[in-house]
Amino acid sequence: MSATVFEKSHIGRCGVKLPKSEIKHAKALDDSLLRHSDLGLPQLSEFDVVRHFTNLSKKNFSIDANFYPLGSCTMKYNPKVQERAAGLDGFANLHPHHITNEDTDAMQGALEMLKILEDDLVEITGMDAFTLTPEAGAHGEMSGIMIIGAYHKKKGNKKRYVIVPDSSHGTNPASAAMVDYEVITVKSGANGDMDIDAFKAVMSDEVAAVMMTVPNTLGLFNPKIKEICDIAHAHDALMYYDGANLNAILGFIRPGDIGFDVVHLNLHKTFATPHGGGGPGAGPVGVKKELIAFLPDLRVGYEKEKGYCLLPQSPVSIGKVAPFFGNFMVLLRALVYMQTLGKEGMINVSKKAVLNANYILARLKEHLDAPFDTFCMHECVLSAATLAKEYHVRALDIAKYLLDFGFHAPTIYFPLIVKEAIMIEPTESENIDTIDEFCDTIIEAIALAKTNPKAFEDYPKTLPICRADETKAARSLNIRWQER
């Protein structure tokens, strides 16, 4: 482990000395507001600080340095042109309170950007309107369910349940529960799709919504999705589209054309923005025309006399879900990505993402279990169940092994319905050389597992920490430095 800046501190060493105040008549602060002991900051030179944080940055895995095959969390290359656009003075120096004060004359360019983004998302998804303010995918989910709740309340519907398949993202049932719906989970069939008969058995007039990810978290497209939409609508339930996997169908199918009523999109995944470690993100929510009145506040319109303006809030709106205009810079980066690619470029995104995932599945299915050995979409799910049973080498061991060879670990143990799951999403960004090197390394790991399974106890060997107590790290995280 590297020493902390506190451990490197040397009494009397200093980077910058602040001059004494030359303000002669400044009013003294109340004594209760003054510190009477040293602040306790480390004492280092500027050079010490620069080297310390530069060296720490080199320990990070990042998409700019490593292949990041996380299933269910699209980690693609982020073109640097997006950063250049986000750094333009007119955007970077925009004050958020221009929105609060409705100072629209001072932000015509920013409002135009937001209107273009909304219109593009409408065209891509087949919905009728969007709110851009939700700041993450899960935030968009909760906003979408709140919209559904407001819709049913306005109609006087008595709804109690939200249906999710057992392969859903964990945020789906959590979002439904936070809006006071009871969750019904429907099991998957042998082919990985939601069991249609089990779905029909629980469907009733008390169901408010059915939340579906298409393709699902197994990387599979449900061929009965239109039938599911029709069944739900027959009970006046709304269809919710979790857009986390939109990059698999971009330019080919529009959720609004299938029958979905509400969608959220993870702009930071599908349209690329640096993310990971919890953000930043953006989760715009799109709706069909019957639901537009329930959208949160802050939508951009255009009037010939005024130019771009803020639309008045509907009396049945769910209100404010985020301060200012959400993560404005994430929205801007997403639009730059979309405009740079154009329609044909976005179609190519889907083609390459699906091709890469199927190539990996084809290379690895003879070495690992393939629970759903069929054509997949943008990600594939394999399993180390047989390896664990016969050689006691688990998915976690394979993931740790990969770290020593410069690969971020793929998603493991998700979806929960696949034992010893290894979930891989290569995205459209990676070329065949990188993908082949990744597959070769996994195949080498499996060969090692069959000849020397004990060797995995030592991986990773090149990182500061080999095997952490992951349960304790997750539940009792303590990263506070204390002087010994």
Side-chain angles (χ1 to χ4, degrees), residues 54-260:
T54 300
N55 288 327
L56 280 184
S57 72
K58 293 178 181 176
K59 295 179 184 295
N60 283 341
F61 266 82
S62 72
I63 194 67
D64 283 348
N66 308 92
F67 180 31
Y68 229 100
L70 275 180
S72 206
C73 189
T74 311
M75 298 293 283
K76 62 173 68 172
Y77 174 67
N78 298 283
K80 300 303 176 272
V81 65
Q82 299 170 186
E83 303 306 310
R84 187 170 181 179
L88 292 174
D89 288 345
F91 293 126
N93 296 332
L94 193 65
H95 197 286
H97 279 303
H98 280 308
I99 290 287
T100 314
N101 298 329
E102 297 192 25
D103 187 12
T104 55
D105 289 341
M107 52 179 183
Q108 282 293 296
L111 293 178
E112 182 178 7
M113 184 282 289
L114 294 168
K115 188 71 175 72
I116 293 172
L117 176 60
E118 179 181 353
D119 291 345
D120 284 358
L121 295 179
V122 164
E123 175 62 27
I124 288 169
T125 60
M127 307 309 283
D128 292 316
F130 265 84
T131 171
L132 303 176
T133 56
E135 295 176 313
H139 191 190
E141 282 180 32
M142 194 176 83
S143 303
I145 295 297
M146 289 171 66
I147 291 168
I148 290 171
Y151 166 81
H152 286 307
K153 183 178 180 181
K154 180 77 166 37
K155 289 187 71 176
N157 291 341
K158 304 295 182 184
K159 301 284 189 178
R160 294 177 57 191
Y161 304 107
V162 169
I163 292 178
V164 301
D166 61 2
S167 63
S168 69
H169 290 106
T171 49
N172 288 180
S175 298
M178 288 184 71
V179 188
D180 289 336
Y181 283 113
E182 296 177 46
V183 177
I184 298 175
T185 302
V186 178
K187 66 176 183 176
S188 298
N191 61 358
D193 299 329
M194 184 170 74
D195 187 310
I196 190 74
D197 292 328
F199 168 67
K200 290 177 181 176
V202 297
M203 193 68 215
S204 73
D205 290 343
E206 290 188 297
V207 173
V210 181
M211 300 182 79
M212 300 285 289
T213 306
V214 185
N216 67 12
T217 58
L218 297 167
L220 304 174
F221 187 91
N222 190 328
K224 296 184 177 179
I225 188 62
K226 179 67 169 63
E227 182 182 352
I228 291 170
C229 291
D230 292 342
I231 293 171
H233 288 154
H235 292 273
D236 201 13
L238 298 180
M239 287 299 299
Y240 185 96
Y241 180 88
D242 179 333
N245 296 342
L246 183 73
N247 62 324
I249 61 172
L250 203 57
F252 286 92
I253 296 175
R254 305 194 309 171
D257 295 340
I258 299 173
F260 284 95

Side-chain angles (χ1 to χ4, degrees), residues 310-375:
L310 299 178
L311 296 176
Q313 183 174 330
S314 161
V316 292
S317 163
I318 64 169
K320 185 178 289 297
V321 298
F324 310 119
F325 223 106
N327 278 331
F328 178 84
M329 287 302 188
V330 177
L331 301 174
L332 172 59
R333 289 179 173 95
L335 180 63
V336 173
Y337 184 81
M338 296 159 65
Q339 298 274 322
T340 304
L341 289 176
K343 181 179 178 181
E344 294 305 316
M346 283 193 270
I347 291 173
N348 197 38
V349 163
S350 300
K351 289 180 178 177
K352 293 285 174 56
V354 172
L355 177 64
N356 284 352
N358 277 280
Y359 181 79
I360 289 176
L361 178 62
R363 283 215 57 191
L364 296 181
K365 67 181 182 181
E366 293 181 3
H367 304 275
L368 290 165
D369 302 327
F372 308 102
D373 186 13
T374 183
F375 182 79

Side-chain angles (χ1 to χ4, degrees), residues 22 116 118 173 216 222 255 268 297 303 355 405 411 438 446:
E22 295 179 350
I116 293 172
E118 179 181 353
N216 67 12
N222 190 328
H268 46 288
D297 71 343
E303 296 180 9
L355 177 64
F405 297 88
T411 298
F438 172 72
I446 294 166

